Amino acid sequence: MTSRYYITTPIYYVNAEPHIGHAYTTIVADVMNRFHKLIGCKTYFLTGTDEHGDKIVQAAQEAGVDPKTYVDRISGMFRDTWPKLNISNDYFIRTTDPDHIRVVQYILQKVYDSGDIYFSKYKGLYCVGCERFYTERELVDGKCPDHDKPLVEREEANYFFRMSKYQSWLMEYIEANPDFIRPERYRNEVLAFLREPLEDLCISRPVERLSWGIPLPFDDRYVTYVWFDALINYVTALGYPDGAKFDEFWPVVEHTIAKDILKPHGIYWPTIIKAAGLPPYRHLNVHGYWKINEGKMSKSHGTVVRPLDLVPVYGLDAFRYFVLREMVFGLDSNFSEDALVQRINSDLANDLGNLFSRTLAMTLKYFDGKVPPFGDPPDEMDRELIAQVEEAVRQTLEELPRLGFHKALIAIWECVNRANKYIDHVGPWTLAKDPAQLGHLQTVIRNLLELNRVVAVLISPFMPETAEKMLDRLGVPKPALEIRLSEDGRWGSLREGTPVSKGEALFPRVEKTDAAAGAPQKEKAPAKEKPAEEAPPEPIPFELFKQVDLRAGIVKHAERVPKSKKLLRLLVDIGEERQVVAGIAQTHAPEDLVGKQVIVVANLQPAKLMGIESHGMVLAVRDGEALQLLTTQKPVTPGRRVS
Ligand code: ME8
């Protein structure tokens, strides 16, 4: 029987635009969904928006529109964001959907009929400004945190859910199922809550205080408390109470949330499900918080990081890779654009991008761009390389089901790094000079191609676009991603003679652009002049120098890069037209450059500066403040090589 897998994200409040926190949880769920598909599970992936309650009414009032117009607008922003982050959700639920309203009322009635909902008076501290009750713990200096005013004691009649009745059942269940709530620190937190007496949960609000909610089916003077309404989305989306989908996926449901909503998911929800006569969920996966410059993300401090500001500049897969590699699931993590740039340039451009482009370039050069057969039998170094790949497959299969994203990525990158070292050690360019070494060269290149293929499959849940690009260029037919990971991890399944293609760099190098609008920017230290006594670089062989392709060019077009003080975008004729981004705007006006003869490094790996690709570098000499462009004594034909 095919295994099943059902993953959910929280349904986000529509009182704020999607930010990096929402994006992280949703990307995590996406990786889990894609991974389970890859290993052959039938999956279902749910996300959506939470649209009732006083927070939403307040946000709508601030925006000057009625709640319905407001929720439609913000919910639409979430819905439109997810395809841009390549999120593979099957369904997008809204708590204002009529079928959700029906299911909430059905469950309320069921629990009411079984005697677990009762009517009672509630006495508490009420803020007139907020129109709501506060608990002692929420107060700041005994006052309302928003209005800075003392609260009044007020009595209100409401409906209550007998949560306390399920306290000992829940404790025992968590004790007996150690990974019900994971990682362990959050399980311990919930157990600590449960060691204190658990109060019943107030699940209604009088209509005169809040009308934007789902009416109680047994008393229309009240609407449903927003958490009781919201949590039920997880069953509505499966067509509860009828339907095959519910029977199929409910037993394997996994919720993914951050630590802020641990209590509703770790305590309210399991007890509500139990009272409704449903089995508990399988896992509650809880992650930490993204902080910005070690502080809380905050709208008023302008530190909200929005994924859609970063993705166009740095690339989608780079962003996905960064958040999954950087955060240890369960712990807090700090976001900084410097760290993002650093990871892109080292892990993606230098390690993976470089390995892939070297492998394909050598296949083109030595085997006419076709997958060679395995030649000589594997030697020790080959066997070590293969063992490393097997280890990466093993660790990915072991770590992903328990949300060890960073560990799986470390294992995959160990493989990438070993392959880069393998190339440096073996030196295929030397083997290529000796016809007697053809068998060895075939094995080396074939190993490298196979390794790149397995790496592409392993990274596919994390970076689906990159994986697809890699597999396309390796000539692997399309359905490859649907092959089970365990089978596809097999060595040697590329087909001999298949043409490969090189394509553009997977990850051009990037520079920091301060695209995370919210992130406070650090003062940049002034560029240091190199101390005069600094040792000159080591001598290099002439062969190495010859690898630098220097060409004479003529600037055809020059313009400032918007929002940059330093950069100009140039179009340079070097026998062909090249776009080059040069850091010369402070010393050269664009209009003075057109028609100038320059020298260009033509075979640099492409880089992205302020989101613009640069395919080369214009040479210049700095002398104090002045920057002189290198040129020729007399005009020469564009494209002539400098030697
Ligand atoms: O709580 N770091 O919605 P919400 C990491 N509607 N993740 C973060 C984050 C951060 N700094 N900030 C937010 C609600 N998140 C309810 C949920 S579910 C039945 C109802 C993510 O819009 C994280 O997933 O406040 C967190 O749990 C969620 O957004 C809270 O979203």
Side-chain angles (χ1 to χ4, degrees), residues 306 308-311 313-314 337 512-519 521:
R306 287 177 296 258
L308 295 187
D309 290 339
L310 295 169
V311 165
V313 178
Y314 296 113
E337 216 167 320
K512 185 171 171 235
T513 63
D514 296 327
Q521 275 127 56

Side-chain angles (χ1 to χ4, degrees), residues 497-519:
T498 308
V500 302
S501 56
K502 189 153 183 298
E504 303 255 283
L506 286 180
F507 296 99
R509 290 181 68 78
V510 294
E511 281 208 351
K512 185 171 171 235
T513 63
D514 296 327

Side-chain angles (χ1 to χ4, degrees), residues 10-13 19 21-22 25 50 227 234 258 260-261 287 289-290:
I11 46 169
Y12 303 110
Y13 282 131
H19 57 59
H22 305 124
T25 321
D50 187 357
W227 272 106
Y234 300 133
D260 56 334
I261 51 177
H287 63 78
Y289 246 42
W290 280 98

